[in-house]
Amino acid sequence: MTSPDLRIDGERLLDSLGRLAQIGMTSEGACCRLALTDEDRAGRDLVTGWMRESGLQVHIDPIGNIFGVRPGRENLAAVMTGSHIDTVRTGGRYDGNLGVLGGLEVVRTLNAAGVTTRRPLVVAVFTNEEGARFQPDMLGSLVYAGGLTLDDAYATRSVDGKLLGEELDRIGYRGDAAMPFCRPEAFVELHIEQGPVLDIEGGLIGAVGDLQGISWQEITITGQSNHAGTTPMRLRHDAGYCAGAIAHFVRQIARDMGGSQVGTTGAIQLHPNLINVIAARAMITVDLRNTDEDLLKESERRLDAFISALADEEGVSISSRRLARFEPVRFDAQVTDLITRTAARLGMDCRPMTSGAGHDAQMMARLCPTAMIFVPSVKGISHNPAEHTDPEHLTAGANVLLHTLMDLTER
Ligand code: HGY
Ligand code: MN
Ligand code: MN
């Protein structure tokens, strides 16, 4: 079979996705493999085993990033693909996993066809992409790209109070490979869209040219606990009310600004969290995103102004801790264009897209020409066990990845 006619084995890809999904599967059918937990270790063990079975040389760096290397005919800078296998607590089976197992499927396909590429090909698994347990998100690829020191990463404390460095040692994935492992010639990530555009507006492949900016903060409100029945409203310093007011205002910012602005309150904790006690303390997280850096700054400014006024009005103190802040990213136009041309050559409908989600590719873009391939998410649902992509769309995306990587590894 000549290379242009080469195609991945869709059944084999689906089987691998299904077997990985079993690790950390909850009773609701969600994938729960929070970074550096025992479930993450089990997923890593499964994937590195598959890498070795496929003849890849497996290297692990000091932040636990995994690299499966397939040597090329020449010892040139490698072309890299990959993503993450850690999940949120209520994850689906494709977020991140498709990018890693799609890369592995490319290797298996090249092996079966006896094809040796000119450049080495690397399949990467990045640590803690989700940021659900340790912040910031994309932490492993951020360290790889030089955006966070190893010491700062190791000192990061999880939402359940554990130190990242200790958890990495506990699961046995603090490696000694060079940091950065290599400076790739190019990086391409296959990922589900996780939004509604392809599914609702139509389109099979997304050639992702850019990715929106992300602002994460943890806001702590300190008021005064008091009796719910006896305390007059004018004398209250109600941290619970303030948390609700902030959550409402985050929605208001997105509504007023429009465009690509989004705002999310994902976590709220009250103390003492009792029906008849005015909350003394509240913790609330805020996730603001926009494709435009100036507008993202404007949304942060509006929130800051609201919080200052609220603290004065309610007689509470409010502090904020930055958890993540990444500017919008433009991917490499030549790589995005190659994805578009490759999809067309394979007879697939392809459209330019922006990513609403953060991805490891946004960090790899700091090191080398980078772009992403999207496939549809049914109804745009993700970070939810109902996350679904039709099998033929998974196969189509992996075939675009195969031929995009084959093109790049011959340059
Ligand atoms: O938050 C994100 O966009 C990604 O899922 N970490
Ligand atoms: Mn992801
Ligand atoms: Mn995700």
Side-chain angles (χ1 to χ4, degrees):
M1 180 186 293
T2 60
S3 294
D5 305 324
L6 211 50
R7 296 292 182 271
I8 64 106
D9 180 333
E11 286 308 312
R12 184 171 54 196
L13 173 58
L14 277 171
D15 175 61
S16 297
L17 284 164
R19 287 165 67 190
L20 179 55
Q22 293 308 310
I23 297 181
M25 178 75 68
T26 68
S27 52
E28 293 85 44
C31 291
C32 181
R33 289 196 304 275
L34 292 173
L36 309 186
T37 57
D38 291 343
E39 294 76 18
D40 186 20
R41 167 173 42 195
R44 287 163 170 262
D45 291 350
L46 181 65
V47 171
T48 50
W50 284 339
M51 285 181 165
R52 291 188 176 95
E53 284 168 14
S54 303
L56 297 182
Q57 301 155 7
V58 175
H59 303 265
I60 298 166
D61 76 5
I63 196 65
N65 295 324
I66 298 165
F67 303 99
V69 180
R70 185 176 197 265
R73 300 191 303 272
E74 299 176 38
N75 187 22
L76 298 167
V79 171
M80 188 182 283
T81 188
S83 190
H84 62 95
I85 62 169
D86 67 298
T87 72
V88 295
R89 200 181 302 280
T90 55
R93 60 178 56 196
Y94 304 115
D95 176 359
N97 305 310
L98 176 62
V100 172
L101 298 181
L104 185 60
E105 176 54 33
V106 166
V107 168
R108 288 166 167 167
T109 301
L110 294 173
N111 290 348
V115 171
T116 303
T117 54
R118 180 176 179 230
R119 293 178 176 275
L121 177 62
V122 178
V123 181
V125 183
F126 293 108
T127 294
N128 189 56
E129 187 279 343
E130 289 295 0
R133 187 179 182 214
F134 298 93
Q135 289 88 29
D137 53 349
M138 288 76 72
L139 185 144
S141 48
L142 179 64
V143 170
Y144 182 92
L148 183 69
T149 67
L150 274 171
D151 287 346
D152 286 348
Y154 291 149
T156 302
R157 198 169 286 279
S158 65
V159 294
D160 51 320
K162 303 281 195 239
L163 285 174
L164 187 146
E166 291 175 3
E167 286 295 277
L168 197 57
D169 288 334
R170 189 183 64 80
I171 68 165
Y173 272 91
R174 187 195 297 227
D176 57 5
M179 176 66 85
F181 174 66
C182 70
R183 185 175 289 273
E185 178 70 12
F187 180 84
V188 181
E189 180 171 0
L190 170 63
H191 206 286
I192 54 172
E193 178 198 335
Q194 299 181 285
V197 172
L198 288 172
D199 186 51
I200 293 176
E201 295 182 19
L204 171 53
I205 300 293
V208 186
D210 65 326
L211 182 149
Q212 64 181 353
I214 300 176
S215 163
W216 281 6
Q217 48 186 313
E218 175 190 85
I219 295 169
T220 302
I221 304 135
T222 307
Q224 182 186 56
S225 65
N226 214 325
H227 196 295
T230 58
T231 312
M233 295 310 286
R234 70 182 189 288
L235 296 182
R236 294 183 178 214
H237 306 290
D238 185 343
Y241 161 73
C242 291
I246 291 169
H248 180 270
F249 188 74
V250 164
R251 169 64 66 90
Q252 200 62 44
I253 293 172
R255 188 176 289 139
D256 295 347
M257 292 182 67
S260 67
Q261 183 65 40
V262 289
T264 310
T265 297
I268 293 185
Q269 288 162 8
L270 299 183
H271 173 78
N273 204 35
L274 298 170
I275 186 167
N276 60 350
V277 180
I278 298 168
R281 269 196 326 278
M283 183 292 292
I284 177 172
T285 61
V286 174
D287 177 325
L288 297 171
R289 306 196 193 196
N290 199 302
T291 52
D292 178 287
E293 174 62 11
D294 290 339
L295 291 176
L296 183 56
K297 280 190 182 126
E298 171 59 17
S299 69
E300 290 173 322
R301 194 198 56 73
R302 290 188 191 191
L303 180 60
D304 288 351
F306 176 80
I307 286 173
S308 304
L310 183 69
D312 292 346
E313 278 159 32
E314 298 300 322
V316 298
S317 69
I318 304 181
S319 62
S320 169
R321 181 165 73 97
R322 164 109 29 240
L323 298 177
R325 183 61 169 88
F326 302 122
E327 294 193 7
V329 170
R330 287 210 61 76
F331 288 129
D332 182 90
Q334 289 186 346
V335 180
T336 306
D337 180 56
L338 173 60
I339 291 166
T340 304
R341 287 187 286 109
T342 301
R345 188 156 48 84
L346 295 173
M348 296 176 193
D349 172 29
C350 180
R351 56 172 293 159
M353 291 193 74
T354 292
S355 176
H359 296 288
D360 293 309
Q362 75 185 86
M363 303 306 171
M364 295 308 291
R366 299 183 187 191
L367 289 178
C368 64
T370 294
M372 295 186 74
I373 302 165
F374 273 177
V375 290
S377 292
V378 173
K379 295 193 179 68
I381 292 175
S382 183
H383 285 186
N384 180 318
E387 177 184 282
H388 183 70
T389 297
D390 294 345
E392 59 274 14
H393 293 171
L394 297 169
T395 300
N399 276 318
V400 173
L401 181 68
L402 168 69
H403 286 280
T404 301
L405 295 174
M406 287 178 76
D407 185 298
L408 290 169
T409 49
E410 289 309 312
R411 293 188 181 188

